[in-house]
Amino acid sequence: MKLKGKLLKVLEEQKGISKAGKDWIKQEFVIDTGSEYNPEVCISVFGADKVNGLKQFKVGQDLEVDVNVYSREWKGKYFHSIDAWQIEVAQNDGNNMPF
C-alpha cells in the first residue's frame, strides 16, 4: 500500500533488547495525507538502516511511503501497525532518492 503526504514530524528513536537478547531500534514519523478526515498518519520504521535512512528527509517534504498495514489481537483487543518499507520524495519534489 502506498501513502502520500507531507512530512509533519519525526518522533524520537525507541531502542530496546528483544527476548532473544538482540538490540532493536525503531522510529515513528507523521505525514499529513491531505485527507478530509483524519489526515495525519503515524508510520514506523524498524531497524538501524531504516532509522538512519529516515534522517535524509526534512519536515515539510512531500513523500511517497510504501507501507505494510497489519493488526494483532491481544486479550480480545486489536492493535494496528503501519510499517514503512520504502520512502521516497514525491515525484513533484524533483529529488527521488529511495531509502
Side-chain angles (χ1 to χ4, degrees):
M1 172 181 237
K2 187 176 292 266
L3 296 175
K4 294 180 182 182
K6 186 174 296 293
L7 181 60
L8 291 182
K9 58 181 118 174
V10 178
L11 305 178
E12 290 191 31
E13 294 177 1
Q14 300 172 43
K15 300 178 181 181
I17 299 175
S18 70
K19 290 180 184 178
K22 296 185 179 189
D23 291 335
W24 60 266
I25 184 169
K26 84 172 194 174
Q27 190 166 23
E28 296 173 324
F29 62 99
V30 180
I31 64 170
D32 180 348
T33 63
S35 180
E36 184 177 355
Y37 300 104
N38 303 313
E40 293 183 11
V41 178
C42 184
I43 303 169
S44 300
V45 291
F46 192 81
D49 290 343
K50 290 186 180 175
V51 169
N52 287 332
L54 184 59
K55 293 175 181 167
Q56 71 180 308
F57 303 109
K58 306 292 183 226
V59 170
Q61 276 187 305
D62 289 323
L63 303 178
E64 293 181 3
V65 185
D66 289 295
V67 298
N68 290 327
V69 179
Y70 59 95
S71 301
R72 290 180 305 279
E73 183 203 3
W74 186 69
K75 295 187 178 183
K77 293 186 179 185
Y78 283 85
F79 296 87
H80 312 289
S81 297
I82 304 172
D83 292 340
W85 56 271
Q86 182 170 312
I87 304 171
E88 297 177 319
V89 175
Q91 294 284 345
N92 61 0
D93 218 9
N95 180 10
N96 223 11
M97 290 182 57
F99 101 119

